[in-house]
Amino acid sequence: MEIQEKLKELRDLIEYHRRKYYLDDAPEITDFEFDRLYRELEDLERLHPELDDPNSPTKRVGGTVAEKFDKYRHTVPLKSLRDVFSMDELQQFLADTEGNGQYTVEPKIDGLSVALQYENGRFINGATRGDGTVGEDVSDNLRTVRSIPMSIPYKGRLIVRGEVYMPRSSFEKLNAEREENGEALFANPRNAAAGSLRQLDSSITAKRGLDILIFNLQDCDRSFETHSDTLDFIRDQGFPTVNYRIETDFAGISSQIEAIDVSREALPFDIDGAVIKINDLERRTELGENTNTPKWAVAYKYPPEQKKTKLLDIVCQIGRTGVLTPNAVLEPVKLAGTTVSRATLHNIDNIHSKDIRIGDTVVVQKAGEIIPEVVMTVTDDDHAKREIYRMPTSCPVCGEAVVRFEGEAKTQCTNVACPAQIRRRIEHFASKDCMDIDGMGPSAVAALLDAGLIGSYTDLYTLKTEDVASLERFGEKSATNLIDSIERSKTAGLARLIFALGIPNIGEKAAKSLATAFLDLEKLFDADIETLTAIDDFGQITAAAVVNFFSHEQTRKIVDALKQAGVEMTLEQNEDQDKRFAGMTFVLTGTLPTLKRAEASEIIERFGGKTASSVSKKTTYVLAGDEAGSKLDKAKALGITIIDEATFMEMTK
């Protein structure tokens, strides 16, 4: 037998057994026999590199390292779904659509949406959803997902859409490994899946145990009558597909939604709802689509799962700005697919309003399916005997007195040299929206702190390439790249620097306002409440936070050190700069066709305007996109001028 034929035979055989194992749950050979076939293919490919095939089963271990992902324009847009949160909303959807008697009901997988393209029976490429029109080409990483077939029986053009997810077992294993290595934990399986699929090194993706379920046929050069027909066809091609039920009325649909909800805990993956779609494809075409959502489908979102457990203790965690956040230490409980032993209590006002006391039985849920929180306490006969919780009067880490500003719920350690704040402050300082130091993520910060090379973010500017290269997680090239990025950050600009300092209550927008108002960081040391409250959107609380921050001797030392390092601390204003939007306030609502909100806001600010989160009589324009909500209604009621993206872009020419 010729080598080329032998290679094809081995690849087809391995692909066959992959399908029997992953899709049919009916393996015909042992793991040992499968590994033997795999090794035989590896050896043969090693001897004949000229016959390399990017879709070979051996490519599933990864190994390709990209500098960045190429952009990928979807031939068929990957639209999102409109959410409904009640049975009344669901009934309205059914009344509006009249789906010719049939709807499919499917679980809504909580993962990362991707499109997979095949031609002549072979996997060509795959991309993330991105903004629905343009995503990222992550083909090499998708090849490592073993349940994605690299070849299929159908030889025509085919594009399918699916949800890449991380099974709960893989998520728990990954977080256990990261905890052991001192790395930051992933918040939930969805975040872990997204982070894993977007690794530049595909061999890392291969180790993360990702899986996929296909839920839609995007494009195909053969026709179908129903959505269920397409799912059956897709499964016949070797894809794992979502389970579906066909229902004909509200009673059947609502019953199936409840059945999926009941089964959530037994599933190996997270779901956050059920998807209801018209089954008849011709009826879908008649109904059409909105700009970003189809009219023929909705996602019914489940309320957060709640569980009861015992509150063992309350401990305070110190954030990067020194805020003390009380956290509940709980008897471990299984919640939304993960074991929860801690939950946020937000602040002391929340604790007192809910009368939460150590020793109580409490109800916990995951806010937005991510962060565990205590919803309420379940009072019993002993509740009144338990002590009312009080916040500490000094920082649990540095011992400095903590303060609570008038009118605020948060308690804060204002010592900028507090060790508990150092790591988080450095991470914030180096982050993309601040000084944008590439390569200075949580693991790099931890490694530099552990080695004693830095003790604050000012020390970043004293690092030497040889010191960084000597660390276990760095090499000569990565160390050089990091030092170069640190050097570039010196010219990040005054607004980014102010935001990077981590001043309480000062976000990205407020930092830009301070930079524009003062033009020089040094002037903030002399700023008073009256001057600061004269700035738009600056109230007494924000102004007091700025004054307090710049009154500390430690802040003086930090700024002097940054100045000594050569960090740019002034803002040069161009007198000829176009300020056509000066004095105007824009409110953004809905989804714009091509611009993200952050991009539109940046354009507005560049031309001297500002954005606000709510509509008032002071609003100049409301920039409205698809599915604009109550802000649009209020603008109409107040007679505010409403513009679309096309009009807005004309205004910027």
Side-chain angles (χ1 to χ4, degrees):
M1 181 185 296
E2 288 188 11
I3 297 299
Q4 198 160 358
E5 290 180 11
K6 180 63 176 176
L7 282 168
K8 184 179 185 308
E9 179 186 315
L10 282 169
R11 288 165 180 162
D12 290 348
L13 190 58
I14 290 171
E15 178 64 20
Y16 169 79
H17 287 298
R18 178 206 65 82
R19 176 170 177 168
K20 299 300 291 183
Y21 182 89
Y22 284 102
L23 300 184
D24 301 339
D25 197 21
E28 296 179 354
I29 60 176
T30 65
D31 289 348
F32 176 81
E33 290 171 310
F34 184 88
D35 290 342
R36 183 178 57 78
L37 287 172
Y38 190 89
R39 283 196 298 272
E40 185 180 353
L41 177 59
E42 276 187 316
D43 292 341
L44 205 55
E45 287 181 336
R46 197 178 297 114
L47 291 170
H48 298 278
E50 73 279 4
L51 299 177
D52 180 60
D53 183 345
N55 289 338
S56 170
T58 59
K59 303 300 182 185
R60 293 190 182 274
V61 299
T64 303
V65 180
E67 289 187 10
K68 63 178 182 177
F69 296 116
D70 292 330
K71 297 297 182 185
Y72 179 90
R73 181 167 289 276
H74 297 290
T75 54
V76 179
L78 274 60
K79 298 196 173 185
S80 55
L81 293 174
R82 178 168 68 89
D83 294 335
V84 296
F85 298 93
S86 68
M87 288 298 169
D88 287 343
E89 288 182 273
L90 177 61
Q91 278 188 307
Q92 188 61 54
F93 164 72
L94 300 179
D96 291 343
T97 54
E98 298 177 357
N100 288 359
Q102 284 194 352
Y103 294 84
T104 60
V105 186
E106 310 159 9
K108 186 175 183 297
I109 316 301
D110 194 14
L112 190 72
S113 194
V114 298
L116 310 176
Q117 182 175 343
Y118 293 77
E119 289 181 9
N120 299 318
R122 291 171 57 79
F123 175 73
I124 300 301
N125 53 40
T128 60
R129 177 180 179 271
D131 62 6
T133 302
V134 178
E136 292 178 314
D137 189 327
V138 289
S139 301
D140 289 331
N141 289 350
L142 287 167
R143 285 188 176 94
T144 72
V145 181
R146 293 181 181 272
S147 50
I148 295 177
M150 292 295 101
S151 61
I152 58 175
Y154 185 67
K155 302 307 177 187
R157 175 178 170 79
L158 178 69
I159 301 177
V160 296
R161 181 177 176 182
E163 200 82 358
V164 172
Y165 66 90
M166 181 173 286
R168 290 173 185 158
S169 57
S170 299
F171 172 72
E172 290 172 1
K173 179 183 175 185
L174 175 60
N175 261 355
E177 290 172 353
R178 292 178 72 85
E179 187 170 23
E180 188 177 331
N181 295 330
E183 298 174 300
L185 303 186
F186 285 109
N188 56 27
R190 187 193 184 283
N191 285 6
S196 300
L197 191 61
R198 297 189 72 257
Q199 291 288 328
L200 294 176
D201 184 346
S202 61
S203 65
I204 296 176
T205 307
K207 297 173 184 175
R208 296 285 177 85
L210 297 178
D211 212 329
I212 193 171
L213 284 171
I214 305 299
F215 62 83
N216 199 59
L217 178 70
Q218 294 293 102
D219 193 18
C220 185
D221 49 14
R222 59 164 286 185
S223 59
F224 299 89
E225 291 185 359
T226 64
H227 171 60
S228 54
D229 287 342
T230 68
L231 288 179
D232 293 344
F233 167 75
I234 291 168
R235 181 169 180 81
D236 288 343
Q237 301 308 308
F239 295 94
T241 57
V242 291
N243 292 324
Y244 69 86
R245 282 280 298 269
I246 297 175
E247 301 292 347
T248 58
D249 55 21
F250 173 74
I253 292 170
S254 58
S255 176
Q256 183 57 22
I257 289 172
E258 185 178 346
I260 293 173
D261 191 18
V262 170
S263 72
R264 289 170 74 179
E265 212 164 308
L267 294 171
F269 48 79
D270 282 359
I271 65 172
D272 59 356
V275 180
I276 301 90
K277 304 175 184 174
I278 289 177
N279 196 28
D280 188 311
L281 298 182
E282 187 176 342
R283 177 59 179 152
R284 288 188 184 185
T285 303
E286 291 172 2
L287 286 170
E289 301 185 344
N290 298 313
T291 304
N292 290 296
T293 59
K295 295 180 180 178
W296 40 263
V298 291
Y300 182 91
K301 301 302 285 287
Y302 294 125
E305 181 185 5
Q306 296 185 339
K307 290 283 182 70
K308 291 181 182 179
T309 188
K310 187 174 181 180
L311 175 60
L312 303 176
D313 198 3
I314 297 176
V315 296
C316 285
Q317 179 180 339
I318 316 297
R320 69 168 176 83
T321 59
V323 173
L324 277 65
T325 302
N327 286 290
V329 180
L330 309 167
E331 278 189 355
V333 61
K334 200 80 171 178
L335 183 66
T338 57
T339 300
V340 171
S341 58
R342 292 209 172 203
T344 182
L345 291 164
H346 299 293
N347 54 58
I348 190 64
D349 287 353
N350 179 62
I351 294 173
H352 288 170
S353 67
K354 295 175 180 175
D355 197 13
I356 297 169
R357 307 186 187 190
I358 296 171
D360 283 352
T361 295
V362 293
V363 176
V364 292
Q365 71 177 25
K366 284 191 176 181
E369 300 292 332
I370 297 176
I371 304 168
E373 66 177 355
V374 175
V375 179
M376 61 182 290
T377 191
V378 181
T379 55
D380 56 24
D381 293 340
D382 294 325
H383 172 76
K385 301 174 187 175
R386 299 184 185 115
E387 218 175 304
I388 295 173
Y389 180 76
R390 309 289 180 194
M391 290 293 283
T393 56
S394 59
C395 175
V397 177
C398 71
E400 289 279 328
V402 297
V403 298
R404 182 176 178 182
F405 294 108
E406 188 178 346
E408 292 194 359
K410 64 188 179 186
T411 303
Q412 193 166 24
C413 169
T414 58
N415 175 17
V416 294
C418 176
Q421 301 177 49
I422 288 173
R423 179 174 63 82
R424 292 183 179 88
R425 282 184 176 276
I426 297 171
E427 290 173 6
H428 173 72
F429 184 86
S431 65
K432 187 174 182 62
D433 292 331
C434 294
M435 303 303 277
D436 193 17
I437 301 176
D438 191 33
M440 186 58 71
S443 59
V445 172
L448 292 168
L449 282 169
D450 291 345
L453 293 177
I454 58 173
S456 70
Y457 49 69
T458 60
D459 294 335
L460 294 173
Y461 296 101
T462 66
L463 287 172
K464 293 180 173 56
T465 304
E466 56 269 25
D467 294 333
V468 178
S470 66
L471 298 179
E472 185 179 341
R473 297 181 184 182
F474 289 89
E476 189 69 35
K477 184 178 179 182
S478 58
T480 300
N481 290 341
L482 178 60
I483 298 301
D484 288 345
S485 185
I486 291 172
E487 185 64 27
R488 286 194 300 273
S489 75
K490 293 178 181 179
T491 57
L494 181 57
R496 283 176 174 268
L497 176 59
I498 292 173
F499 184 34
L501 291 175
I503 306 168
N505 294 321
I506 299 299
E508 191 175 1
K509 185 176 178 181
K512 289 178 181 177
S513 297
L514 285 173
T516 303
F518 287 87
L519 304 179
D520 190 330
L521 190 65
E522 282 294 334
K523 293 181 180 178
L524 285 170
F525 283 97
D526 299 321
D528 55 29
I529 298 290
E530 186 179 354
T531 306
L532 288 162
T533 52
I535 300 172
D536 283 346
D537 298 326
F538 266 66
Q540 289 285 335
I541 293 172
T542 306
V546 174
V547 170
N548 182 69
F549 181 83
F550 283 95
S551 69
H552 279 275
E553 183 183 346
Q554 188 63 29
T555 303
R556 177 75 268 173
K557 292 178 180 177
I558 287 170
V559 171
D560 286 346
L562 292 172
K563 187 184 295 184
Q564 183 69 29
V567 176
E568 192 176 278
M569 296 193 171
T570 59
L571 174 66
E572 291 186 15
Q573 280 199 319
N574 184 354
E575 292 183 4
D576 298 327
Q577 191 173 348
D578 190 336
K579 294 290 183 182
R580 68 182 70 182
F581 292 157
M584 299 182 185
T585 300
F586 291 72
V587 172
L588 281 61
T589 183
T591 305
L592 300 175
T594 64
L595 288 175
K596 294 180 181 177
R597 287 198 184 190
E599 293 171 335
S601 296
E602 187 178 336
I603 293 170
I604 291 165
E605 290 169 8
R606 190 193 315 148
F607 287 119
K610 67 174 185 176
T611 58
S613 58
S614 58
V615 178
S616 70
K617 290 180 180 179
K618 295 181 179 179
T619 304
T620 312
Y621 294 105
V622 169
L623 175 52
D626 189 47
E627 296 188 17
S630 58
K631 293 178 184 178
L632 185 61
D633 297 333
K634 188 172 181 180
K636 290 176 180 176
L638 292 174
I640 306 297
T641 303
I642 299 164
I643 58 175
D644 58 15
E645 184 184 297
T647 304
F648 173 70
M649 294 309 293
E650 280 295 320
M651 292 167 66
T652 65
K653 289 181 179 178

